[in-house]
Amino acid sequence: MKFLANLVTRHYKVTLGVWIILFVALAFFALRLPSLLEGDGFKMDGEHQQVMDELTETFDLPAETLFIVFDQTSDQTIQDTLDDIENLKIVKDIQSPLEDSTLYKENVSYAMLHFNTDTENMSEVVDDIRQSIGNEKGVTLTGAAAINKDINTASQKDLASAEAIGLPIALVVLLLAFGSVVAALVPIAVGIVTVVSALGVMTFFGEAMDLSIFVLNIVPMLGLALSIDFALLLINRYKEELAEKSVLEAVQISIKTAGRSIIFSALCVFIGLGAMFVLEVEIFQNIALGGMLVVAMAVLGSITLLPALLMVLGDRINKWTILRVKPGASTKWRNFASFVMKRPVTLIIVALVLLGIGIIPVKEMTLTIPSVESLPKDYDSRQAYEVMEDEFNMGDQSTIYVVADRPGGWENTDGLNTMKNLEEQLLKDPDVKSVDTVFSASEIPTVEQWEQSMLIPEVSGQLTPLLDTFVQGDKLMIPVTLGLNGSSDEAQDWAREWADKDVGTDILLGGQPKFNQEIFDEIFDKVGILLGIILGSTFIILTIAFRSVLIPLKAIIMNVIGLASTFGILVYIFQYGHFGLEETTIALIIPVIVFSLVFGLSMDYEVFLISRIQEEYMKHHNNTKATVDGLTSTSKIITSAALIMIVITGAFAFTEVMPVKQIGIGIAIAVAIDASIIRLLLVPSLMKLFGKWNWWLPFRKGPYKAKNFH
């Protein structure tokens, strides 16, 4: 850190120049990022995707389908609308409700627009079709691509509104912390530079890989909060040092002390995010990539850009002071710290009871993969999709695609017998409503009758195209309709059971139940690895940072308890429908993302507090005094940092995309719990109880080695 401090302070003008050039260049690219974001990110290279690719490439099934929902419209309107869409020459095939009675009811009908693999940019396709439809009353486009495009649009609006709410309040918090306008504006400026730069770099990744639309909210949310928190810590230390030292010395000391804390804090966040790479689902890897990138930018900005700005500002950091920070504030915190030191056991019991109450609802948590419910209710694509589902009872059933492979082919007697046997096994399953094969489609019940029919030239000419629908070379496709909602646990259990069942031939499964099953299994099968990486790495890093075994162990246990309480409160708010919110399930991504993010974020406050306690302990080796002094000197800054984190992330509570709302509220609650109950009550109380044992490390060499604790 000494080398970095000297480098930045000696070449601060060059540092500023590099950052200005970098910011301008990356801002240009950042503007392009929203156009590169498509899909909700729930993709993985599993059996489902393999089957869907096979269906498209081998059986010529559409790669993408959109729906036109007609509500209270005439047949002529339906025909005219579909003719206009067909004239666009972008649709592979159109299934019209005027030709297929299963798509038509008295007041509501829908058409299916099928697209092939050549249609890469579905966002532009959605725009073209919507332009073709115009403002025709009762005619609405919906489907995955249309819904994802609307979520992207809503996400951009959400980001703008969250920033409009969060940044002004964060500025007020900074004013209360520092008292001067300049000191309050600097962290905001650093945060904006960090986020814009990170989004600009993400654009390069977006050119080479698929990025989820949720990246647009989560990366700025995390980047702003962390950047401002880091800047708050470093500026606070700088102002303390500036009272007695020169600008140069104050900046260098701030980099060596606060800068070190920032790096250790960021490393914890970095590991929490990086652990998500073990989950081979696109959205987690996208957020891990974006999060790690913005954290790296936040650290670079805090230990290079910010010190360079402080070198330029000097004592003008206190310019335009509008609030005098009263010296009595430290006295109040010292009184609070002394209060905690006198009643550690009582406060530990109170804190654990409060956290335990929050944990209670966790047992009722229901996790689902976000779908159309992510959109606000006033979006036409959601309304049309729900009308279509309700009117045609789509939610009551789902489709599984069985793809079987037989080296000898399927058109000979053995192949036909195997096909018939597979059909019969499927039909015996009580959850199966129907099975489509050449036998059911042709209404020929047996293999013998099929073979006899194929000997008749006229009949064979009619059956061969039908056979080609289900059989291509060694591949057989069987669509299976289940009487189960595709998102239900029962449908997932069905997919698991049949994937492992011996049916006499090799089969692969695809379709929504299989997709959901693979996503859930990927998370639950690997969550132990993810937790192991986060907890193990955090323990090692904090052990190295504080040369202690107990401090990192306590930090990990308290974080786990705090996060469990957070998830319980989320269930109370969203599943129980409190505070004016509609009852809804918790998005599957929430526990993983909130845990991975907050576990690292909460370590910020652990590092801030314990670093200062350790600094004081090294002076006199009095644990109680060090705890009081450390709590006194950091409580205000931790509270301010936490408030900023809560404000920036909590502002997303006022957004409309449900998973983003849940992530924002989840992080805000977790940080509030951590910075208050855990960091101000539990940590100092436990520090008091354990005394010198807080600093015990086996085989330690130094001023407080192991033998001193006996």
Side-chain angles (χ1 to χ4, degrees):
M1 295 304 294
K2 182 178 180 181
F3 172 78
L4 178 66
N6 289 331
L7 182 68
V8 172
T9 52
R10 285 179 183 175
H11 306 286
Y12 66 91
K13 291 181 180 178
V14 174
T15 302
L16 275 178
V18 170
W19 270 104
I20 291 170
I21 294 169
L22 191 68
F23 173 72
V24 172
L26 291 176
F28 172 76
F29 291 102
L31 294 172
R32 295 183 52 227
L33 182 62
S35 65
L36 300 175
L37 305 178
E38 284 196 34
D40 56 16
F42 281 94
K43 293 180 183 178
M44 60 179 292
D45 293 329
E47 188 175 319
H48 162 78
Q49 191 59 50
Q50 184 180 343
V51 167
M52 301 315 288
D53 290 342
E54 190 76 63
L55 295 179
T56 302
E57 295 168 9
T58 305
F59 294 95
D60 201 32
L61 264 65
E64 186 93 34
T65 298
L66 289 173
F67 304 93
I68 302 288
V69 177
F70 301 96
D71 192 358
Q72 305 285 347
T73 59
S74 66
D75 289 356
Q76 187 61 50
T77 299
I78 294 174
Q79 188 62 56
D80 291 344
T81 300
L82 298 182
D83 286 344
D84 290 341
I85 292 172
E86 189 170 14
N87 290 334
L88 295 174
K89 306 295 183 184
I90 57 175
V91 181
K92 175 187 175 183
D93 180 51
I94 297 177
Q95 282 183 252
S96 170
L98 302 179
E99 299 170 359
D100 185 344
S101 60
T102 62
L103 312 180
Y104 195 103
K105 285 195 172 183
E106 184 178 354
N107 296 319
V108 178
S109 61
Y110 68 94
M112 302 173 71
L113 313 180
H114 300 305
F115 301 86
N116 58 25
T117 53
D118 296 328
T119 307
E120 294 183 358
N121 195 339
M122 289 302 296
S123 178
E124 293 180 4
V125 169
V126 169
D127 286 337
D128 291 341
I129 295 174
R130 282 178 169 166
Q131 188 173 358
S132 174
I133 293 172
N135 297 319
E136 185 69 45
K137 187 177 180 181
V139 181
T140 308
L141 178 69
T142 189
I147 290 167
N148 286 333
K149 183 173 180 61
D150 286 345
I151 291 176
N152 195 336
T153 301
S155 295
Q156 293 180 55
K157 292 180 180 177
D158 284 352
L159 180 59
S161 61
E163 288 176 348
I165 295 169
L167 287 178
I169 300 176
L171 183 60
V172 172
V173 175
L174 289 167
L175 278 171
L176 293 173
F178 293 136
S180 74
V181 174
V182 172
L185 286 174
V186 170
I188 301 288
V190 172
I192 292 171
V193 170
T194 295
V195 170
V196 171
S197 299
L199 292 177
V201 176
M202 282 296 290
T203 302
F204 295 108
F205 286 99
E207 298 281 3
M209 61 186 290
D210 293 334
L211 291 178
S212 166
I213 49 186
F214 295 120
V215 166
L216 192 62
N217 291 115
I218 294 171
V219 169
M221 180 197 302
L222 179 62
L224 273 176
L226 268 181
S227 297
I228 295 173
D229 267 11
F230 290 164
L232 179 68
L233 175 66
L234 196 134
I235 292 173
N236 183 69
R237 188 58 183 256
Y238 170 72
K239 284 169 69 70
E240 286 181 11
E241 299 297 334
L242 190 62
E244 299 177 355
K245 298 177 178 67
S246 68
V247 171
L248 178 63
E249 289 176 311
V251 172
Q252 289 184 341
I253 292 172
S254 298
I255 294 174
K256 293 173 190 176
T257 54
R260 178 179 179 273
S261 297
I262 287 168
I263 290 173
F264 273 108
S265 301
L267 195 55
C268 291
V269 181
F270 210 76
I271 288 169
L273 289 162
M276 285 196 283
F277 275 115
V278 304
L279 302 177
E280 297 180 34
V281 182
E282 189 177 273
I283 187 169
F284 296 118
Q285 301 196 339
N286 282 179
I287 291 171
L289 174 64
M292 292 171 76
L293 182 62
V294 81
V295 169
M297 284 291 186
V299 173
L300 281 175
S302 299
I303 62 177
T304 59
L305 172 61
L306 178 56
L309 285 172
L310 294 177
M311 288 294 296
V312 171
L313 290 171
D315 58 6
R316 285 173 294 181
I317 191 73
N318 297 315
K319 195 173 182 181
W320 299 335
T321 298
I322 59 174
L323 293 171
R324 294 290 176 186
V325 179
K326 297 180 181 179
S330 61
T331 303
K332 292 177 182 177
W333 283 115
R334 183 169 294 277
N335 291 338
F336 173 77
S338 299
F339 172 82
V340 173
M341 292 296 99
K342 292 176 183 176
R343 301 167 181 81
V345 176
T346 302
L347 291 176
I348 288 171
I349 293 171
V350 170
L352 291 177
V353 168
L354 290 174
L355 293 173
I357 293 171
I359 292 172
I360 292 172
V362 167
K363 64 182 185 296
E364 297 183 31
M365 180 182 284
T366 302
L367 301 173
T368 56
I369 296 175
S371 58
V372 69
E373 295 83 9
S374 298
L375 263 180
K377 286 185 174 181
D378 58 349
Y379 275 73
D380 290 345
S381 57
R382 173 175 175 173
Q383 294 173 356
Y385 192 87
E386 290 176 340
V387 166
M388 187 173 64
E389 273 196 323
D390 293 341
E391 291 293 331
F392 294 90
N393 300 317
M394 290 182 173
D396 298 336
Q397 60 186 37
S398 55
T399 300
I400 281 274
Y401 292 96
V402 178
V403 172
D405 185 63
R406 187 175 184 275
W410 296 93
E411 298 180 41
N412 54 45
T413 301
D414 288 343
L416 290 168
N417 279 323
T418 302
M419 187 192 308
K420 185 63 179 176
N421 179 54
L422 181 55
E423 178 191 57
E424 290 172 351
Q425 288 185 66
L426 287 164
L427 286 170
K428 287 178 183 177
D429 191 300
D431 292 322
V432 174
K433 290 185 67 175
S434 65
V435 178
D436 293 332
T437 65
V438 291
F439 300 107
S440 61
S442 65
E443 299 183 351
I444 297 175
T446 66
V447 172
E448 293 77 10
Q449 289 177 336
W450 172 271
E451 290 182 322
Q452 290 172 6
S453 298
M454 289 295 287
L455 295 174
I456 304 171
E458 295 82 359
V459 178
S460 175
Q462 297 175 353
L463 294 180
T464 298
L466 181 63
L467 181 66
D468 291 341
T469 302
F470 296 96
V471 176
Q472 290 291 324
D474 294 340
K475 304 291 184 183
L476 166 70
M477 174 194 68
I478 301 179
V480 180
T481 302
L482 304 180
L484 301 169
N485 184 292
S487 300
S488 66
D489 293 339
E490 293 78 11
Q492 292 182 43
D493 290 340
W494 192 97
R496 288 188 193 95
E497 178 187 345
W498 277 85
D500 297 331
K501 185 173 287 192
D502 182 7
V503 295
T505 188
D506 295 331
I507 63 170
L508 296 174
L509 304 180
Q512 187 186 4
K514 181 63 179 175
F515 165 76
N516 288 352
Q517 173 250 307
E518 287 183 334
I519 296 288
F520 271 86
D521 287 356
E522 175 69 13
I523 293 172
F524 287 110
D525 289 349
K526 293 184 178 178
V527 70
I529 300 173
L530 181 142
L531 291 176
I533 292 172
I534 294 175
L535 301 183
S537 301
T538 301
F539 180 82
I540 292 170
I541 290 169
L542 293 184
T543 299
I544 294 171
F546 300 124
R547 298 182 60 77
S548 164
V549 171
L550 278 176
I551 286 174
L553 191 60
K554 288 186 297 179
I556 288 170
I557 293 171
M558 287 185 290
N559 269 13
V560 170
I561 294 172
L563 282 164
S565 187
T566 297
F567 295 141
I569 296 171
L570 282 178
V571 170
Y572 178 81
I573 293 173
F574 288 98
Q575 282 188 211
Y576 297 176
H578 287 98
F579 303 107
L581 295 172
E582 61 175 312
E583 292 183 20
T584 184
T585 55
I586 305 297
L588 179 61
I589 59 175
I590 302 303
V592 175
I593 292 175
V594 171
F595 186 93
S596 299
L597 284 176
V598 173
F599 200 89
L601 290 174
S602 60
M603 286 303 170
D604 282 354
Y605 310 122
E606 180 78 9
V607 171
F608 294 171
L609 175 58
I610 301 298
S611 291
R612 201 57 181 265
I613 293 175
Q614 183 187 41
E615 197 176 321
E616 296 298 324
Y617 186 77
M618 291 289 288
K619 296 176 182 177
H620 43 66
H621 302 291
N622 183 324
N623 181 75
T624 300
K625 185 177 187 305
T627 302
V628 171
D629 290 345
L631 193 62
T632 301
S633 60
T634 60
S635 290
K636 180 181 177 182
I637 206 68
I638 287 176
T639 303
S640 300
L643 277 173
I644 287 169
M645 186 73 70
I646 292 166
V647 165
I648 296 294
T649 58
F652 285 84
F654 301 97
T655 59
E656 297 183 309
V657 178
M658 188 55 69
V660 175
K661 184 192 291 281
Q662 291 180 348
I663 290 172
I665 292 177
I667 294 174
I669 292 171
V671 170
I673 289 173
D674 185 85
S676 56
I677 297 175
I678 292 177
R679 214 55 57 198
L680 296 181
L681 297 180
L682 272 179
V683 170
S685 296
L686 290 170
M687 291 293 291
K688 170 66 176 178
L689 282 184
F690 283 100
K692 286 186 176 182
W693 284 99
N694 287 299
W695 310 104
W696 177 74
L697 182 69
F699 315 113
R700 179 196 295 275
K701 292 181 180 180
Y704 37 106
K705 50 192 176 184
K707 68 179 184 181
N708 296 334
F709 296 90
H710 296 284

